[in-house]
DNA sequence: CTCTGTGAACCACTTCACAGCA
DNA sequence: TGCTGTGAAGTGGTTCACAGAG
């Protein structure tokens, strides 16, 4: 291991594209560490992620000089630093809004727990669902207890899995309790104040981009 | 309505960013049409989607001159054309690989049916699940029937919702049956041949980008 | 006068290429 | 020699600004 890891607070604003790749690098490093690999070059990481080696070096260099010239990066060392950079060195507390099919699926999604996210509860307005639990044990609470749960469990992130008609109303409630980061699965555009980070995953848009591809490429089934 | 809609096959390759925005525009137009709005300007669409008006005009102009100077775009007319461009004028046949929590959630996701996607079946290797149905009636079949189902139902799109350890093996099987478009929810990098379009949605990466935001902005809960 | 369609300017991200350290 | 870190070049996407149609 290098003597002095020199982590650095990045001077400029880091692009979302870069931070998304940091997650990919971390995924690779975890796999490599599990296989007992000690060091990896930028080219090694790049190939694994289908990226350019210079891009990998640039991404990492924003945060410090983690590499050793002539050698590469120490897997354990870099892994630890990426976790810190991504805020994964502590458990992020997550609440899921909406206890429908998607809410339950997300509550039990193994990837979340593996990366250090702690799903505290699902919230719903349907009294019949309140008190039930997902397979992995996440409990459904009533939406009216939102504020209390956010305060009690120090919720960091809200995951919006409600029908799109209810989305704006629910997100407004969540923001009012002080949550500043929201992952949204509802369709359509949501309005949030500037201090709140909203990340939307639109499943229909993703499918439609595949549909476009098929339509353009002269779909033989078409 | 304009006399002659002049749809156009785009000369250059269209960026994925553009096609994703076409889906957003379509979503807006559907809402507007439902409200009885007849025409909309590029600025109107742009505001609705938090975009720039020139960008909207550029995106649309790739595919033809749909607008009328001094007026804007006719909602019904543009909606119809966007659907054609995105391949939504016919029902895309979808099969879901993996009948876990996520598979069931996707099978019942109302957005898919609304946009013209037809979820034919879920496939799984777990004999105990075979024959069961989702709430909306999508049936679970055995993975060994994959080839037969793809042929019988003219499957266009495969949705991969299996644990990430099984993902590469399953996607290889699906591609072997001739499916050319796949929406992937498994973590990690998958290899596909060049004629296949793979779109990956990585939920962990999305959450981690929020985690990064909180870590950088001096999380008060941190 | 309004609003589209589009060349030109601008900006951001990626890749190249190489100096410099182990 | 091998590989990082980084300025410079290249690429692609967005915004500006305006000519021109209705």
């Amino acid at each position: 291991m290098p003597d002095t890891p020199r982590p650095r607070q990045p001077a400029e604003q880091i692009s979302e594209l870069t931070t998304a790749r940091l997650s990919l690098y971390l995924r690779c490093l975890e796999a490599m560490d599990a296989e007992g690999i000690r060091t990896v070059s930028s080219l090694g990481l790049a190939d694994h992620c289908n990226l350019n080696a210079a891009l990998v070096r640039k991404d990492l260099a924003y945060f410090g000089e983690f590499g050793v010239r002539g050698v590469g990066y120490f897997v354990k060392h870099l892994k630890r630093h990426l976790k810190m950079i991504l805020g994964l060195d502590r458990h992020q507390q997550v609440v899921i809004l909406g206890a429908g099919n998607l809410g339950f699926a997300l509550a039990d999604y193994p990837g979340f727990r593996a990366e250090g996210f702690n799903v505290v509860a699902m919230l719903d307005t349907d009294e019949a669902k309140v008190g039930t639990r997902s397979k992995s044990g996440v409990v459904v609470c009533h939406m009216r207890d939102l504020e209390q749960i956010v305060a009690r469990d120090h919720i960091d992130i809200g995951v919006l899995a409600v029908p799109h008609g209810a989305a704006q109303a629910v997100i407004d409630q969540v923001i009012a309790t002080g949550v500043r980061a929201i992952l949204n699965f509802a369709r359509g555009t949501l309005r949030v104040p500037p201090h709140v980070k909203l990340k939307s995953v639109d499943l229909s848009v993703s499918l439609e981009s595949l549909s476009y591809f098929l339509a353009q490429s002269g779909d033989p089934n078409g």
Side-chain angles (χ1 to χ4, degrees), chain A:
Chain A
M1 302 280 280
D3 302 328
T4 42
R6 283 168 282 172
R8 179 204 290 169
Q9 206 63 4
E12 36 180 327
Q13 189 69 15
I14 300 300
S15 127
E16 293 233 350
L17 298 167
T18 293
T19 64
R21 285 191 299 266
L22 295 184
S23 294
L24 294 183
Y25 304 152
L26 179 56
R27 217 57 54 73
C28 285
L29 291 166
E30 278 166 347
M32 289 171 177
D33 192 30
E35 289 175 41
I37 297 170
R38 306 286 284 271
T39 66
V40 63
S41 69
S42 59
L43 184 60
L45 268 176
D47 281 352
H48 225 280
C49 305
N50 298 322
L51 297 169
N52 179 291
L55 185 57
V56 173
R57 294 200 295 275
K58 272 241 156 84
D59 284 342
L60 298 177
Y62 283 124
F63 299 93
E65 305 208 351
F66 298 121
V68 180
R69 286 156 199 249
V71 177
Y73 301 88
F74 289 93
V75 170
K76 276 184 193 300
H77 182 235
L78 184 55
K79 192 179 87 168
R80 183 152 33 83
H81 276 283
L82 286 184
K83 280 195 173 188
M84 275 171 50
I85 291 163
L86 290 171
L88 302 175
D89 48 336
R90 71 183 196 81
H91 282 219
Q92 300 278 355
Q93 302 286 89
V94 175
V95 70
I96 294 174
L97 294 313
N101 272 305
L102 187 58
F104 272 84
L106 294 170
D108 289 349
Y109 185 66
F112 289 166
R113 222 163 280 266
E115 300 299 327
F117 296 99
N118 185 27
V119 179
V120 168
M122 286 175 275
L123 269 57
D124 206 291
T125 50
D126 182 349
E127 298 278 1
K129 287 176 179 166
V130 171
T132 62
R133 286 176 182 274
S134 76
K135 283 171 197 160
S136 73
V138 177
V139 69
V140 179
C141 302
H142 197 280
M143 195 69 86
R144 76 171 79 87
D145 297 328
L146 171 64
E147 190 167 358
Q148 182 199 330
I149 289 168
V150 169
R152 185 191 67 196
D153 294 315
H154 308 292
I155 296 298
D156 300 293
I157 299 174
V159 174
L160 206 61
V162 300
H164 90 285
Q168 186 65 57
V170 172
I171 202 173
D172 289 346
Q173 280 180 260
V174 174
I175 290 168
T177 67
V179 172
R180 293 183 304 127
I182 292 166
L183 181 59
N184 169 47
F185 288 91
R187 287 175 290 162
T189 314
L190 295 177
R191 298 266 162 191
V192 297
H195 71 280
V196 172
K197 179 82 173 176
L198 172 65
K199 183 133 189 112
S200 286
V201 175
D202 192 321
L203 303 178
S204 303
V205 169
S206 302
L207 258 194
E208 283 171 23
S209 107
L210 292 175
S211 177
Y212 172 83
F213 167 80
L214 293 172
Q216 290 309 304
S217 63
D219 188 355
N221 296 336

